[in-house]
Amino acid sequence: MDLPTQRPGRLKVGVVGAGRVGAVLAAALARAGHRVVAASAVASLLRAQELLHGLPFLAPQEVVAAADLVLLTVPDDALADLAAGMVEAGVPVQGRILVHASGRHGTAVLAPLAREGGLPLALHPVMTFTGRTDDLERLTGVSFGVTAPGPLRPVAEALVVEMGAEPVWIAEEQRTTYHAALALGANHLVTLVVEASGLLRAAGVAEPGRMLGPLLGAALDNGLRLGGQGLTGPVARGDAGTVSDHLAALKAVEPDAVPGYLALARRTADLALDSGLLKPEDAERLLGVLADSR
């Protein structure tokens, strides 16, 4: 196999799907000294042009043909069909590094391309992308969830490090669990913040963000540093009466918030018990309130 480590260090980079993620990763590789030669983009054309000035936009098969490394930055659910379609169309992948940025998938999703001689890598940046130019600066220092065949591990590591980030190795069979953990922490956090902000507005707080910012920042820091020992609040203290009042208020103001509150309160009670913060007798009263509120 003609591995990229046996070639000159600078690669020609193509992007299939130059959306929020693809355009930023391509720009990061360009900043590292690689040459972005072509991209395909449809709905994301303006965004891609903002980060990849003067780049020709071609059909996907032409992008692949022009590149040594191809970023396949399409939505997760489209990757398998893209790989199969490229093989069916006879797109030349032999010896090319094929990189996707999906958190959910490892390299197995690119197996049809690997059988045709493509060199598959899964490089998932653990950050949110807004589609703005400052995403490129925010990429520095983040972790990438990386999955790669053994011979390609040095290539994967070098590419991530060149982008200013840190590679973290994820086994193929653990990709879905890894991605679920990130979605649980990041995506659901936004949902909770938006819901908390709405309830504060209902309580008469004009600027919920100013109130929540310091509180949530401290809670995040406590959770990352202390784990379950960082818990505070009525559930961790076993204040069943307060929790009961919360549920009554939510039912009156925002009934749709009640199921989420109940589910998270139960999980928090379990964590507080395991951490030794919640006494079993207090937990029993608390869980009784939560059960009665279904």
Side-chain angles (χ1 to χ4, degrees):
M1 181 183 293
D2 179 23
L3 295 178
T5 49
Q6 298 163 342
R7 305 176 190 167
R10 301 304 88 188
L11 300 169
K12 292 180 291 183
V13 177
V15 191
V16 175
R20 291 184 178 185
V21 179
V24 171
L25 295 186
L29 289 170
R31 186 169 60 178
H34 300 286
R35 185 161 62 94
V36 184
V37 294
S40 69
V42 183
S44 54
L45 182 59
L46 292 178
R47 180 185 300 121
Q49 288 175 332
E50 186 177 3
L51 281 161
L52 306 172
H53 307 287
L55 193 68
F57 288 87
L58 308 174
Q61 60 268 30
E62 295 175 296
V63 172
V64 176
D68 303 312
L69 181 154
V70 184
L71 296 170
L72 304 175
T73 43
V74 298
D76 292 4
D77 289 351
L79 264 175
D81 288 343
L82 174 63
M86 288 171 66
V87 170
E88 185 177 346
V91 176
V93 298
Q94 174 73 38
R96 288 173 170 82
I97 305 169
L98 305 171
V99 178
H100 76 68
S102 164
R104 171 188 170 196
H105 294 292
T107 57
V109 72
L110 301 182
L113 300 173
R115 287 192 290 270
E116 298 299 318
L119 308 175
L121 301 178
L123 307 181
H124 173 242
V126 185
M127 64 172 270
T128 59
F129 288 82
T130 63
R132 301 183 309 189
T133 54
D134 57 359
D135 285 345
L136 181 59
E137 300 308 319
R138 293 173 59 237
L139 194 65
T140 301
V142 307
S143 296
F144 271 62
V146 178
T147 303
L152 293 177
R153 284 173 67 105
V155 178
E157 184 174 56
L159 290 170
V160 173
V161 170
E162 283 186 332
M163 287 187 280
E166 178 185 359
V168 178
W169 299 101
I170 308 295
E172 180 78 33
E173 63 273 15
Q174 296 299 334
R175 290 293 294 205
T176 303
T177 301
Y178 151 81
H179 194 231
L182 299 178
L184 182 65
N187 301 156
H188 297 172
L189 175 62
V190 173
T191 303
L192 288 172
V193 170
V194 171
E195 193 154 83
S197 297
L199 289 167
L200 285 172
R201 288 190 188 92
V205 177
E207 298 184 62
R210 293 185 63 181
M211 181 176 286
L212 287 172
L215 173 67
L216 298 184
L220 177 60
D221 181 64
N222 287 342
L224 292 174
R225 289 189 302 107
L226 305 174
Q229 291 294 324
L231 279 173
T232 61
V235 173
R237 293 191 297 267
D239 292 340
T242 298
V243 170
S244 179
D245 288 345
H246 285 179
L247 289 164
L250 290 176
K251 287 176 182 177
V253 175
E254 186 57 69
D256 288 344
V258 172
Y261 185 102
L262 287 170
L264 288 169
R266 293 188 193 104
R267 292 292 290 164
T268 302
D270 290 341
L271 181 57
L273 270 171
D274 291 343
S275 301
L277 299 175
L278 183 60
K279 296 177 181 178
E281 58 270 26
D282 292 334
E284 187 174 352
R285 286 193 296 273
L286 180 66
L287 293 173
V289 168
L290 297 175
D292 291 342
S293 298
R294 291 181 181 176

